[in-house]
């Protein structure tokens, strides 16, 4: 009986051998792709190169740093280091006594000072920080589009190749890359509008998913960090894919098939959010985001992820459905709107 058990155990170990080797191979391949993604995100020297090639790019990047770094983060620094200490000195919250054994006779006044100090700081947030944050968010998103466009032009004008994914074979010039040819028929225009609407819904629901995962006990922070890394990586590469004219289904397929690379690319982008307070992290991220957009614009992601596959003889990591929940919710919303419009058409016909 003992010999039979040992024999069965050895057979089981031999049958598990290929599976263990396969898991180890996939893990090594995922690790290499993650390292490649981190390295691509940290290629910030491209920002200097592209800025020297394009004056407009240097101006837009400088404006982002001026608005988000100097004005927004500078305002936070002034509040924390100047305004709040000055208010605490003018409106003290504790009684300065020579003899600490005597009770303070100004406790009511000090309580009023404390309330007044907190109210003044909140007014500073309401009438300066929050409007400045909204203004910075809107203006920065407009500038990000210009930064990606000028960076893309800098690549094309100086002869850099493969600014599109390898599965796109139709050449495009710089003008028709940015300003895509308008569809010649109504159907093409409707498809383009539907694709843009679906993309907005997809990223909106994915952002909600990222927010909700942060409240999961124990593993919530880790999941939040990983999903947020994928989200920012997609944002960074989406500018390039839009300029390249890459269809949405190809973007999602390429992104989910190379999830380890994009996780590595997004990790440095999200690191600032977890190192600072929420308000400071927003300013830091708004200041650094255009740099990562430019590194993504100059990245040849399709070639980078293809190198490990040659070593593993074409084996792929496998597609991870990162946007599964967001895709399901987006399709439900689109179907709901399509049903409503269909009913409205029927009602109009009946009238």
């Amino acid at each position: 009986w003992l010999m039979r058990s040992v024999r069965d155990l050895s057979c089981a170990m031999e049958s598990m051998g290929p599976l263990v080797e396969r898991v180890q191979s996939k893990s090594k391949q995922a690790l290499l792709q993650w390292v490649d993604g981190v390295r691509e995100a940290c290629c910030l020297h491209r920002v200097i190169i592209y800025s020297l090639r394009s004056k407009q790019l240097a101006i837009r990047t400088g404006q982002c740093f001026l608005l988000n770094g100097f004005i927004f983060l500078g305002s936070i620094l002034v509040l924390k280091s100047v305004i709040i200490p000055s208010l605490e000195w003018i409106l003290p919250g504790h009684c300065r006594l020579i003899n600490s054994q005597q009770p303070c006779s100004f406790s009511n006044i000090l309580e009023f000072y404390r309330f007044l100090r907190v109210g003044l700081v909140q007014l500073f947030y309401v009438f300066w920080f929050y409007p400045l944050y909204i203004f910075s968010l809107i203006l920065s998103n407009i500038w990000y589009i210009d930064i990606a466009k000028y960076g893309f032009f800098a690549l094309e004008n100086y002869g850099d190749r493969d600014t599109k994914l390898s599965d796109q074979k139709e050449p495009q010039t710089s003008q028709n890359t940015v300003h895509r040819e308008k569809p010649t028929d109504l159907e093409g225009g409707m498809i383009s509008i539907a694709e843009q609407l679906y993309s907005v819904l997809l990223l909106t629901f994915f952002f909600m998913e990222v927010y909700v995962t942060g409240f999961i006990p124990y593993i919530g922070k880790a999941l939040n960090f990983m999903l947020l890394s994928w989200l920012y990586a997609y944002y960074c590469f989406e500018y390039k894919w839009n300029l390249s004219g890459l269809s949405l289904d190809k973007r999602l397929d390429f992104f989910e098939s190379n999830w380890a690379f994009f996780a590595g690319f997004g990790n440095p982008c999200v690191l600032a959010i977890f190192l600072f307070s929420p308000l400071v992290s927003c300013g830091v991220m708004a200041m650094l985001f255009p740099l990562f957009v430019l590194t993504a614009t100059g990245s040849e992601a399709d070639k980078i992820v293809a190198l490990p596959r040659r070593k593993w003889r074409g084996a792929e990591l496998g597609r991870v459905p990162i946007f599964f929940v967001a895709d399901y919710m987006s399709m439900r919303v689109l179907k709901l709107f399509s049903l409503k419009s269909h009913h409205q058409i029927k009602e109009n016909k009946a009238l």
Side-chain angles (χ1 to χ4, degrees):
W1 175 81
L2 183 59
M3 293 297 295
R4 193 185 317 117
S5 300
V6 173
R7 195 183 307 113
D8 293 340
L9 182 60
S10 62
C11 292
M13 292 296 292
E14 290 178 359
S15 61
M16 289 289 290
L19 179 61
V20 173
E21 291 180 359
R22 185 179 179 183
V23 171
Q24 290 178 350
S25 175
K26 295 291 185 181
S27 301
K28 291 180 181 178
Q29 188 176 356
L31 180 61
L32 286 177
Q33 283 199 9
W34 179 84
V35 172
D36 289 336
V38 174
R39 187 174 62 247
E40 283 296 299
C42 296
C43 291
L44 299 178
H45 63 278
R46 294 173 183 168
V47 180
I48 301 175
I49 296 174
Y50 302 156
S51 298
L52 293 175
R53 293 178 179 179
S54 174
K55 183 179 179 180
Q56 295 95 335
L57 176 61
I59 292 173
R60 279 287 183 263
T61 307
Q63 287 173 335
C64 278
F65 270 85
L66 180 64
L67 176 61
N68 299 298
F70 183 76
I71 298 178
F72 187 78
L73 293 178
S75 298
I76 297 177
L77 180 63
V78 170
L79 175 67
K80 297 293 180 66
S81 59
V82 177
I83 296 178
I84 292 180
S86 299
L87 289 176
E88 290 178 348
W89 182 75
I90 297 172
L91 304 171
H94 58 278
C95 187
R96 299 186 182 94
L97 295 175
I98 299 176
N99 188 1
S100 60
Q101 294 179 355
Q102 295 179 359
C104 183
S105 58
F106 304 102
S107 57
N108 294 331
I109 298 177
L110 294 177
E111 189 67 27
F112 173 74
Y113 283 170
R114 189 180 298 108
F115 174 78
L116 184 61
R117 187 176 65 251
V118 173
L120 290 174
V121 172
Q122 292 302 317
L123 287 176
F124 193 85
Y125 274 95
V126 171
F127 290 102
W128 177 251
F129 273 116
Y130 296 145
L132 180 62
Y133 173 74
I134 296 174
F135 174 75
S136 171
L137 184 66
I138 296 174
L139 195 58
S140 294
N141 278 282
I142 297 174
W143 287 345
Y144 295 156
I145 299 174
D146 291 339
I147 288 172
K149 180 178 66 175
Y150 295 140
F152 196 82
F153 282 168
L155 283 172
E156 286 195 334
N157 294 337
Y158 282 79
D160 289 39
R161 299 179 179 178
D162 297 322
T163 52
K164 300 178 292 181
L165 295 182
S166 58
D167 57 356
Q168 278 193 305
K169 298 182 180 179
E170 297 181 3
Q172 294 177 332
T173 61
S174 60
Q175 291 183 352
N176 62 23
T177 301
V178 179
H179 308 286
R180 290 191 222 171
E181 294 182 0
K182 295 182 180 180
T184 55
D185 54 356
L186 182 62
E187 182 181 358
M190 294 299 294
I191 291 175
S192 178
I193 294 174
E195 188 176 89
Q196 292 296 326
L197 178 60
Y198 171 77
S199 178
V200 172
L201 287 174
L202 182 75
L203 294 178
T204 301
F205 282 115
F206 190 76
F207 182 80
M208 294 171 60
E209 181 183 349
V210 172
Y211 179 77
V212 171
T213 54
F215 296 97
I216 300 176
Y218 303 112
I219 62 172
K221 287 295 181 181
L223 284 176
N224 184 262
F225 182 81
M226 182 58 65
L227 292 177
L228 205 57
S229 298
W230 277 322
L231 179 63
Y232 274 104
Y234 187 87
Y235 277 144
C236 291
F237 278 88
E238 188 184 29
Y239 292 98
K240 175 184 178 179
W241 292 336
N242 275 328
L243 294 170
S244 301
L246 189 69
S247 61
L248 183 61
D249 57 340
K250 290 183 179 180
R251 299 182 205 177
L252 297 179
D253 179 71
F254 182 73
F255 192 91
E256 293 183 337
S257 299
N258 301 282
W259 50 270
F261 172 83
F262 289 106
F265 189 94
N267 286 162
C269 307
V270 182
L271 196 58
I273 297 178
F274 286 82
L275 292 178
F276 303 102
S277 62
L279 194 61
V280 175
S281 65
C282 290
V284 172
M285 192 63 233
M287 183 177 62
L288 297 180
F289 185 70
L291 307 184
F292 293 115
V293 170
L294 289 175
T295 58
T297 302
S299 173
E300 298 180 352
D302 54 331
K303 288 186 176 181
I304 294 172
V305 298
L307 290 177
R309 293 176 187 171
R310 297 175 185 174
K311 184 178 180 180
W312 275 272
R313 298 179 181 178
E316 296 184 358
L317 286 176
R319 183 171 179 173
V320 175
I322 300 171
F323 298 102
F324 175 78
V325 177
D327 174 71
Y328 176 78
M329 297 300 296
S330 301
M331 294 304 297
R332 295 281 294 185
V333 171
L334 290 176
K335 287 181 180 179
L336 180 63
F337 277 102
S338 64
L339 287 175
K340 284 186 178 181
S341 62
H342 185 66
H343 287 313
Q344 288 178 356
I345 292 174
K346 282 188 175 181
E347 290 177 359
N348 292 333
K349 287 182 177 181
L351 293 176

